[in-house]
Amino acid sequence: MIVALAHRLPHAIACLLVAVVLAGCAAQSAYREGQARLTEGKLAEAIERFEQASRIEPGSAEYRIAYLRTRDRLVADRLAEAEQARERGQVEQAEHLYRQVLQVSSANERALSGLRLSDHRRRWDRLMREADSAVQRSDWELARTRARAVLTENPSDRRAADLLQRANEAIEKAGAGGGSRGQALAAAYRKPISIEFRDTPLKTVFEMISRSSGLNFVLDKDLRADQKSSIFLRNSTIESALKMLLLSNQLDMRVLDANSVLVFPNTAAKQKDLQELSVRTFYLANADAKTVAATLKSLLKLRDAVVDEKLNLVIVRDTPETLRIAERIVAVHDVPEAEVMLEVEILEIKRTRLLDLGIRWPDQITLTPLAAAGSAGTLTLNDLRHINSSAIGAAVGSGTIVAKKTDSDANILANPRIRARNREKAKIHIGERVPNITTTSTSTGFVSESVNYVDVGLKLDVEPTVYLDNEVAIKITLEVSNIINQIQTKSGTLAYQLGTRTASTVLRLRDGENQVLAGLINDEDRRTANKVPGVGELPVLGRLFGSQAADGAKTEIVLSITPRVLRNVQRPSADQQEFESGTESNVGAWSNGAAVGVVTAGTAPSASAPSSGDSVSGTRASLQPGSSSVVPLSPGGTAGISGPGVATTFAEPAAVVASGSVGARWQAPAVARRGEAVTMNLLLSSDQALSSVPLLLAFDPLVFQLLEVVEGDWLRQGGATATFGTEVTTAGQLRLAPAQVRGEGAKGQGVVATMHFKVVSDAPTGETRILLQSMSPLGPGGRALPFTLPPALAVTIAE
């Protein structure tokens, strides 16, 4: 058995060696293929080959390094391409690149963040489309809500910021603000109303407003039942009526739901128990969280404010109206600081002039006694006794003819560009740091040395202040120093003697204006003469018996500086600089309310306010939600119809609806599919003769494409002659002008217009609405008729 094992052992070892050799060859082959793919720029394939080689031969550091380097290069390239695609708005391409990164690096945070940001971007785009569609329908409240949602998550979105500003302006102009109070009750708030009450119980007044608006009022138990109020409003709105009523009676309200309001006394205890509070987090990109929190506390008297310095955010808790004011303050405060690029040129000009001209005669003779012959070169006293001219050696200095002139110019130029924030110091140092050694000894004999470094060369300190008119004030300190001499102390330590030139000033320059600072001049002039006494002083001939040298050196420092404003603080618009903030005791309450007596823009005229010459019967009727507004007339607390030619009164508050109101309704499918054509009919009904009815419709152009508008036959009944004008005023708005030219007017019910739409192929799925924004029905002779607008037509878009 042992013999058999001995025979088998060499064979097993040989097989093992063959396997190792084959594995090494396979790893080397994969590595070479990876190198080839890398040269061709095919990074993904190169990574696969390097990973294969590393898997076959795990102990090879060369294969592992090649794999890691190539993977990092691929990740960096794909991330850069993804960022560029996202900036161009190519969200799908960016997502594809991010997923490629995750295939080779599954935990790459930048790729994961990019995918999350793409999801957010898609949702922001959807919100902005809804906001744009709301703008087309003049639904500014919805547009403001969508734009604010986008800005909360992405404060740098300029489209949302512009849309929010437009929405705020439109709402304030129309008087349909009311902060968060008006959002839930927007439809009821816009209803027109005219009321007149004198010394009437509040319960009666609220009952009348409830019957005219469809709102439910819940009165707090502490509200006095016998409290009376007087209010006189004509051609106003439900919102203004409520505002005036609450303010004049020291009351406040809380919106319970879309149709219900709680009214309670405006006292501190009731405010604490019943006033609704919200929490808002402000993530700040530029401003300091502590500064913003202090500003909000000072201006708005916030109930609670918490600062997180690490995340630079402020969390506040207060009423929704106060938070809306805080949002506007933060928007003005949280802006990027101004920055300026300083283009600096520093020039040191050194000029040297040397002129050396003349003859330098020998200026000395040296006499040396000579030793006698045979004395081995040693001079003895006996030699001095017999000294004579032959025993004295003489040495005469050399003479030189000098004709030399030297001119030299030296320019040392520094041209740095430095970017600085507003009111922040920036420094430039060009030169050396020279060590200065200090020796310290103690009484015990211990000696220690310390090294301090001194900056030598060119130092420039600047501190810019950028103003709103694009002017920049710059505080400049320039110092130029050099080593003049080295001084060695008794202990052998070297010290340096420095020459310094310093200039400090403050400039105020316009954007792009250049300023040159010069005059730091060091001027030296030296003159030297070597002459033969006497004859060297002779005029003209003296030049032959002497030489003269003139040496001049002049150094000047020139500083040229040009500021370029890269980013400045933009002066905010007028509505951002000044806006209403409520009262001292109730910040933000009703700060955006409509003015008294102003009908909200876009609302229909009151059906119960007849024009001059019309009459309305005194028949008592109840007001249904959604019908025309009530106009109570109330000397002594009674109510009735107010209008020209109307004098009917009732013994108790009642609501009367004018008969003959023009109505409208839609005929359209409830569901539409992408790419399909949809037909919609608009029907009108009237029991009074109607000769013309200008209409304005709004639809979402991202969902519907208008193909054709066909005139209905309702106005042509009885053989009447009619015209039909159409105009697309803006994207998503359609104006119709059907009118009878000859005829006695149309009555009954019929189709006034048929619209053919096509659903856009990439329209977002879900519910969309078509709104009849306004209509102005006129009878024969141009008499205005009362009307009721239909609710918006809801259509569900499916795949």
Side-chain angles (χ1 to χ4, degrees):
M1 182 184 225
I2 295 176
V3 175
L5 183 60
H7 283 293
R8 294 176 183 173
L9 187 58
H11 180 70
I13 294 174
C15 292
L16 180 61
L17 291 176
V18 170
V20 170
V21 170
L22 291 177
C25 291
Q28 186 66 25
S29 176
Y31 177 74
R32 285 197 300 267
E33 291 182 9
Q35 292 283 11
R37 300 293 188 275
L38 184 62
T39 304
E40 297 172 359
K42 301 177 180 179
L43 300 182
E45 297 180 10
I47 288 177
E48 294 179 0
R49 300 299 187 275
F50 290 145
E51 185 181 14
Q52 179 183 357
S54 181
R55 190 170 55 251
I56 295 174
E57 195 172 333
S60 176
E62 181 182 11
Y63 299 161
R64 185 65 179 171
I65 291 173
Y67 166 72
L68 293 176
R69 285 180 176 175
T70 308
R71 187 190 67 180
D72 292 344
R73 178 179 169 184
L74 174 65
V75 168
D77 291 349
R78 294 295 184 270
L79 287 176
E81 294 176 7
E83 295 293 336
Q84 294 175 1
R86 192 180 66 188
E87 291 177 359
R88 294 192 301 266
Q90 301 173 351
V91 180
E92 295 182 357
Q93 177 68 14
E95 290 180 348
H96 177 68
L97 294 170
Y98 285 134
R99 291 191 179 93
Q100 286 187 357
V101 172
L102 293 176
Q103 289 178 357
V104 297
S105 179
S106 58
N108 189 277
E109 184 60 30
R110 287 185 61 188
L112 294 174
S113 299
L115 288 177
R116 288 194 295 268
L117 186 59
S118 297
D119 293 338
H120 292 331
R121 176 70 64 183
R122 190 175 287 106
R123 186 160 59 87
W124 297 338
D125 292 341
R126 178 177 58 80
L127 291 174
M128 289 306 299
R129 286 197 300 268
E130 294 178 3
D132 292 336
S133 178
V135 169
Q136 300 300 330
R137 302 191 304 268
S138 296
D139 188 353
W140 294 106
E141 195 64 55
L142 178 60
R144 181 167 67 173
T145 302
R146 296 295 186 264
R148 184 181 288 135
V150 174
L151 284 176
T152 301
E153 301 179 16
N154 184 23
S156 61
D157 194 310
R158 295 306 311 166
R159 283 198 313 154
D162 295 340
L163 182 57
L164 179 61
Q165 181 176 354
R166 289 175 54 201
N168 287 332
E169 293 174 354
I171 290 173
E172 291 178 6
K173 182 178 179 180
S180 63
R181 305 173 191 248
Q183 293 180 11
L185 310 176
Y189 272 3
R190 287 194 292 265
K191 290 185 178 180
I193 190 174
S194 295
I195 58 177
E196 296 182 7
F197 287 102
R198 182 181 293 110
D199 295 331
T200 305
L202 282 175
K203 182 179 179 181
T204 302
V205 179
F206 280 115
E207 181 180 355
M208 279 303 307
I209 297 178
S210 174
R211 296 170 65 182
S212 63
S213 64
L215 294 175
N216 302 316
F217 290 99
V218 180
L219 304 183
D220 187 80
K221 63 183 181 61
D222 294 329
L223 188 64
R224 297 201 332 262
D226 60 343
Q227 184 174 351
K228 296 184 178 181
S229 178
S230 298
I231 183 171
F232 305 93
L233 294 177
R234 290 185 178 275
N235 299 325
S236 187
T237 60
I238 297 294
E239 179 184 10
S240 295
L242 279 177
K243 176 181 177 180
M244 297 299 103
L245 192 62
L246 295 177
L247 287 179
S248 60
N249 293 276
Q250 290 78 48
L251 303 175
D252 201 351
M253 76 177 198
R254 175 178 175 179
V255 178
L256 302 177
D257 54 41
N259 297 308
S260 302
V261 176
L262 172 64
V263 180
F264 56 89
N266 189 5
T267 61
K270 288 296 181 180
Q271 291 281 357
K272 184 177 180 180
D273 294 337
L274 298 178
Q275 195 172 45
E276 184 180 3
L277 301 181
S278 299
V279 176
R280 173 71 188 275
T281 302
F282 294 100
Y283 285 85
L284 305 175
N286 303 283
D288 179 67
K290 279 187 174 181
T291 304
V292 172
T295 302
L296 295 179
K297 288 180 179 178
S298 176
L299 292 178
L300 304 181
K301 308 298 187 294
L302 292 176
R303 286 176 169 81
D304 300 293
V306 179
V307 175
D308 189 332
E309 295 186 48
K310 293 178 64 177
L311 297 178
N312 198 39
L313 60 85
V314 180
I315 304 175
V316 296
R317 178 174 176 265
D318 214 297
T319 63
E321 292 82 5
T322 304
L323 295 185
R324 298 288 82 79
I325 303 297
E327 179 182 348
R328 302 182 72 169
I329 295 175
V330 171
V332 176
H333 199 70
D334 188 27
V335 295
E337 289 191 43
E339 291 190 33
V340 61
M341 176 73 75
L342 299 176
E343 299 177 356
V344 183
E345 282 187 282
I346 304 167
L347 185 65
E348 183 175 0
I349 303 172
K350 186 173 183 180
R351 300 183 181 92
T352 303
R353 302 292 183 263
L354 174 62
L355 178 62
D356 193 355
L357 183 62
I359 301 174
R360 294 182 182 177
W361 294 89
D363 54 3
Q364 63 181 2
I365 298 176
T366 304
L367 302 178
T368 305
L370 300 178
S375 60
T378 302
L379 185 65
T380 63
L381 293 175
N382 187 47
D383 294 335
L384 294 177
R385 291 175 55 191
H386 302 88
I387 191 170
N388 52 31
S389 60
S390 61
I392 297 175
V396 181
S398 62
T400 306
I401 299 176
V402 179
K404 180 182 180 182
K405 182 178 181 181
T406 303
D407 294 341
S408 64
D409 293 334
N411 296 334
I412 302 174
L413 176 65
N415 187 18
R417 293 162 57 94
I418 186 168
R419 182 167 178 166
R421 294 173 61 184
N422 187 33
R423 302 181 186 274
E424 295 286 344
K425 290 184 179 180
K427 297 183 178 181
I428 300 173
H429 176 224
I430 302 173
E432 300 175 348
R433 303 195 70 193
V434 178
N436 188 14
I437 302 175
T438 303
T439 303
T440 305
S441 61
T442 63
S443 59
T444 60
F446 177 77
V447 179
S448 63
E449 291 184 346
S450 61
V451 181
N452 298 321
Y453 289 91
V454 180
D455 293 332
V456 178
L458 185 146
K459 290 196 298 182
L460 179 66
D461 296 346
V462 293
E463 182 178 351
T465 301
V466 184
Y467 297 98
L468 291 181
D469 56 358
N470 279 349
E471 289 195 359
V472 184
I474 311 172
K475 184 184 295 183
I476 301 174
T477 301
L478 174 65
E479 179 181 327
V480 180
S481 59
N482 61 320
I483 299 175
I484 296 177
N485 191 17
Q486 291 184 358
I487 301 174
Q488 188 171 11
T489 64
K490 294 181 180 180
S491 62
T493 303
L494 286 178
Y496 299 96
Q497 181 180 357
L498 303 180
T500 304
R501 280 168 287 173
T502 304
S504 180
T505 186
V506 178
L507 305 174
R508 181 157 180 166
L509 306 174
R510 294 189 302 274
D511 181 22
E513 181 182 359
N514 177 261
Q515 179 64 51
V516 176
L517 301 179
L520 293 176
I521 300 174
N522 182 22
D523 196 353
E524 298 179 1
D525 191 1
R526 298 183 181 91
R527 296 181 181 275
T528 306
N530 293 317
K531 302 178 181 180
V532 177
V535 295
E537 301 296 336
L538 296 175
V540 182
L541 294 177
R543 285 284 185 177
L544 300 176
F545 297 96
S547 64
Q548 294 181 352
D551 186 4
K554 183 177 181 180
T555 304
E556 181 180 6
I557 301 296
V558 178
L559 170 66
S560 172
I561 186 167
T562 305
R564 309 226 180 245
V565 178
L566 301 181
R567 179 174 58 207
N568 203 351
V569 177
Q570 298 296 323
R571 196 183 299 272
S573 59
D575 66 305
Q576 292 177 305
Q577 297 183 52
E578 180 180 358
F579 49 86
E580 296 180 8
S581 61
T583 64
E584 180 70 22
S585 60
N586 200 355
V587 175
W590 304 101
S591 59
N592 294 323
V596 177
V598 178
V599 180
T600 303
T603 58
S606 172
S608 58
S611 59
S612 179
D614 293 343
S615 61
V616 179
S617 64
T619 305
R620 181 180 303 179
S622 61
L623 180 71
Q624 300 300 324
S627 61
S628 303
S629 61
V630 175
V631 189
L633 183 65
S634 174
T638 60
I641 301 299
S642 171
V646 180
T648 305
T649 60
F650 301 94
E652 58 178 308
V656 177
V657 179
S659 61
S661 175
V662 179
R665 67 184 182 90
W666 293 95
Q667 279 186 347
V671 179
R673 301 186 181 277
R674 289 177 174 176
E676 293 184 354
V678 181
T679 299
M680 301 179 184
N681 294 326
L682 179 62
L683 288 80
L684 294 182
S685 59
S686 175
D687 56 2
Q688 296 188 41
L690 187 149
S691 60
S692 68
V693 53
L695 304 167
L696 180 63
L697 299 92
F699 59 91
D700 190 349
L702 299 177
V703 177
F704 292 113
Q705 177 185 356
L706 181 61
L707 300 178
E708 185 183 14
V709 181
V710 180
E711 178 187 4
D713 56 0
W714 186 56
L715 288 176
R716 297 182 180 273
Q717 58 184 263
T721 305
T723 61
F724 188 78
T726 62
E727 178 188 4
V728 179
T729 57
T730 59
Q733 280 193 323
L734 172 63
R735 191 182 302 277
L736 304 177
Q740 276 190 358
V741 178
R742 294 179 182 177
E744 298 180 354
K747 293 183 180 181
Q749 178 175 303
V751 177
V752 69
T754 300
M755 289 149 285
H756 299 281
F757 291 97
K758 180 181 179 181
V759 182
V760 179
S761 58
D762 58 348
T765 57
E767 187 178 89
T768 186
R769 294 176 181 271
I770 297 180
L771 180 67
L772 180 58
Q773 287 185 312
S774 67
M775 65 176 178
S776 303
L778 300 175
R783 181 172 58 90
L785 300 178
F787 65 92
T788 301
L789 289 174
L793 172 64
V795 180
T796 301
I797 305 302
E799 294 287 347

